[in-house]
Amino acid sequence: MIQFVGETDRGLFDDALKFAQHQVRTLVETHPEFYPMYTVNGRWKHEGRIWTNWCDGFLPGMMWIFHKRNAGNTASDRYWMEQAIRYSTPLEPRQHDKEAHDLGFIFLSTYHRWYRLTHDPNLRDVLIEAGKTEALRYQENGQYLRSFVGENSLFIDLMMNVGIVFYAARETGERRLRDIALRHCLTTRRVLLRGDGSTAQEGIFDPETGEFLRQSAQQGYRGDSCWSRGQAWALYGFSVAYEYSRDPRFLDAAQACADYYITHSGGDGMPPWDFNAPPESRSLSDTSAAAIAASGLLRLCRLLHDSVKGHYYWSTAIVILRNLCQKHLARTDKKWEGILKGGVYHLHKELGVDESVMWGEYFFVEGLDQALQQLS
């Protein structure tokens, strides 16, 4: 997938970000104070079920990216900061939310970006408290952060949320928090990462003994298959774990996940919704998994510096973003309210299938922003 990156890609990515800003601005004006999750027939505001409340950070997260990218453009800069604060502030009480396992998604996309811009100690305090709350999910028997499903359940998705625990540990110096984060990652690596680099979505434990019982799935095809969004979560999440810990086992895990994703996706980096999906649904791809993978690969390539492998991950990420921009933007559909078509939320529950999904929007925007920073 190694390809030349030039001015054409810069222009393509810039245009896609401008379109993203237009769509988000229209969303804010059309549905004020609304935190969407997925579209129905391209529309955000609907009566569809949400299953779990985990996406509220992605809309303001994009606004923080837009604010930073518009630095120097006074009117746009001010607008996006005002909107980012407006949509981030109501999330503050969720630093104490013990029901959700997704506090990393909620706060790393918002308060972490906000704090890096302003260095307001109150924002840092919110991040630390969110990390401590996330750490309360830790099961000593089994050594993992439990999912919202139950105390016996470990999700691959939690690799995207353990970062908030690492953050709290670093900021406070509390060794117990760091140990929880490390042990969770090691357990995930042991029970959900397979020898070929593929991942299971869920691990089931005996909560009394901590014995690992089996791999399972809530959203993938089946327990022994590889759900593509979960694979992207793992690729990205193990990269973050290595950034915080510098434990080489996590860098190896991230590369194993990346290699499996690349090998089993098409030449354009677009994965099926599950890599082991049966023929009748194999043609259903998931652009949100592709967006997450692209952003994760750009993060991973920085950790590998100027190595051949790092360059391979970089060029693959560019190919994925290029394909998303050229084939999957909603630009030509004037009635479509999202940015990126072709996302999949929950196939079995028939939620957000072949629609825009909020995490796909966020990680697409994040990936474009990272690529343009590295291209500049």
Side-chain angles (χ1 to χ4, degrees), residues 40 44 72 80 102 144 158 170 177 196 219 236-237 244 248 250 268 281 283 286 289 306:
V40 172
W44 289 119
W80 286 119
D102 299 299
Y144 60 92
L158 280 154
R170 187 187 68 189
L177 290 173
D196 64 354
Q219 291 165 272
Y236 193 118
Y244 276 107
F250 302 148
D268 58 3
S281 67
S283 61
D286 182 5
D306 294 325

Side-chain angles (χ1 to χ4, degrees), residues 260-289:
Y260 183 93
Y261 179 96
I262 295 169
T263 301
H264 291 81
S265 296
D268 58 3
M270 191 60 52
W273 73 277
D274 188 296
F275 287 110
N276 305 108
E280 58 268 25
S281 67
R282 177 77 185 179
S283 61
L284 178 65
S285 60
D286 182 5
T287 58
S288 74

Side-chain angles (χ1 to χ4, degrees), residues 232 235-237 239 254 258 290-303 313 317 363 366-367 370:
L235 185 172
Y236 193 118
S239 299
I292 298 158
S295 190
L297 286 167
L298 290 172
R299 183 180 289 264
L300 179 57
C301 78
R302 293 200 306 270
L303 301 173
Y313 292 152
F363 286 103
E366 182 184 77
Q370 285 191 83

Side-chain angles (χ1 to χ4, degrees), residues 167-191:
Y167 179 87
R170 187 187 68 189
E171 295 299 303
T172 63
E174 292 186 28
R175 178 158 188 161
R176 172 63 177 166
L177 290 173
R178 180 175 171 82
D179 285 347
I180 285 172
L182 287 170
R183 290 173 185 175
H184 170 81
C185 295
L186 289 170
T187 299
T188 302
R189 174 177 172 270
R190 177 172 62 86
V191 305

